[in-house]
Amino acid sequence: CPPQCLCSSPCCPTPTVSTMKVFKCVVTGTEMFSDAKPMEDVVDEEGNDIGLIRVTLTQKTEGGTAVNTGGDEEVDEAEEIKLDQFWMFPDLENEFEFAKKKAFKEDYWAFFQDGFVKMSKQTKAFASKEEFQAAGKRFKAAQKWILANFKELQFFGPAMYIKEVEEGELEGDKYVGDTFCGNFMYVKYEQDGSAYGYFCKDAFTAVTF
């Protein structure tokens, strides 16, 4: 059979199907990241899951030159790296600033947490009450880590990260008029020049392509 053949003849190899997982914010539906890049769970010193995953944005080579891990050629300017490293996060190019932890907690996190709880229930993101409770504990642990590293973090997200639930949007008109905040990517630069994007991992739904 020719290479393009799609017949079921035994002489044709079984085609390989490539799949990719895209993770969307459970609150806003924004595509935040995918498994196109390696990701890993973040754990504390005792090995406990703290509700975050991290994705490598930039890393150092053995020679000490910072490179963009998106596949571009090596670059020398730190600013160029910062601008270019979000090539795989097209919806997360907006940076947000919070002067103090109090502002972050009151103006953002409270609305993010409310959205996480209500939209997780609405979308049935967790199979059981026990799973939801476990996710809630990880969510609190993630907040603790973010606050502990607050001064070292940069906050990136979509321009429209604030969501007001409209009439007819959800089944049964639940939460009409409620205001939620969606997920952020928390960027942290290490001393060696490496940069990582951190996400609250339980506040996502996964779609496979």
Side-chain angles (χ1 to χ4, degrees):
C1 297
Q4 298 86 358
C5 182
L6 299 178
C7 72
S8 57
S9 169
C11 68
C12 292
T14 302
T16 301
V17 179
S18 298
T19 60
M20 180 176 72
K21 244 179 205 180
V22 173
F23 296 88
K24 296 185 177 184
C25 174
V26 73
V27 179
T28 64
T30 303
E31 293 184 2
M32 302 291 283
F33 63 99
S34 75
D35 62 357
K37 267 193 173 185
M39 61 186 76
E40 60 182 339
D41 290 326
V42 182
V43 297
D44 62 19
E45 294 179 354
E46 298 176 353
N48 299 311
D49 188 342
I50 61 171
L52 293 165
I53 61 168
R54 75 174 190 176
V55 177
T56 301
L57 302 180
T58 62
Q59 65 185 24
K60 285 286 190 175
T61 65
E62 291 183 4
T65 303
V67 298
N68 181 325
T69 56
D72 294 340
E73 294 181 359
E74 293 186 8
V75 292
D76 298 323
E77 297 296 329
E79 287 304 314
E80 186 177 346
I81 295 172
K82 291 179 182 179
L83 291 173
D84 197 40
Q85 69 189 355
F86 301 110
W87 67 276
M88 66 170 295
F89 306 104
D91 294 320
L92 306 181
E93 294 181 347
N94 300 278
E95 183 175 6
F96 302 92
E97 296 183 356
F98 300 91
K100 296 182 179 180
K101 293 180 182 180
K102 182 180 180 182
F104 173 78
K105 290 191 291 184
E106 294 180 357
D107 298 341
Y108 169 75
W109 192 269
F111 294 96
F112 176 40
Q113 179 172 296
D114 193 33
F116 162 68
V117 171
K118 291 178 178 177
M119 293 306 294
S120 292
K121 291 179 179 178
Q122 179 72 16
T123 59
K124 298 179 181 179
F126 300 96
S128 66
K129 181 179 179 181
E130 291 72 24
E131 283 188 16
F132 182 58
Q133 290 174 338
K137 290 181 180 179
R138 290 191 296 269
F139 194 82
K140 290 181 180 178
Q143 182 197 32
K144 183 178 179 181
W145 182 91
I146 292 167
L147 293 176
N149 293 274
F150 188 79
K151 292 183 179 180
E152 300 174 34
L153 298 176
Q154 290 177 286
F155 306 88
F156 287 87
M160 303 298 291
Y161 74 93
I162 299 175
K163 172 187 178 70
E164 183 172 336
V165 182
E166 299 179 356
E167 188 175 348
E169 183 176 350
L170 300 177
E171 184 179 351
D173 273 346
K174 281 189 175 182
Y175 315 131
V176 170
D178 283 7
T179 299
F180 304 143
C181 285
N183 245 309
F184 277 163
M185 173 170 67
Y186 306 93
V187 176
K188 187 171 185 286
Y189 291 89
E190 303 297 340
Q191 292 183 349
D192 66 354
S194 299
Y196 297 93
Y198 292 81
F199 299 88
C200 294
K201 70 176 186 180
D202 289 297
F204 290 101
T205 55
V207 179
T208 302
F209 291 95

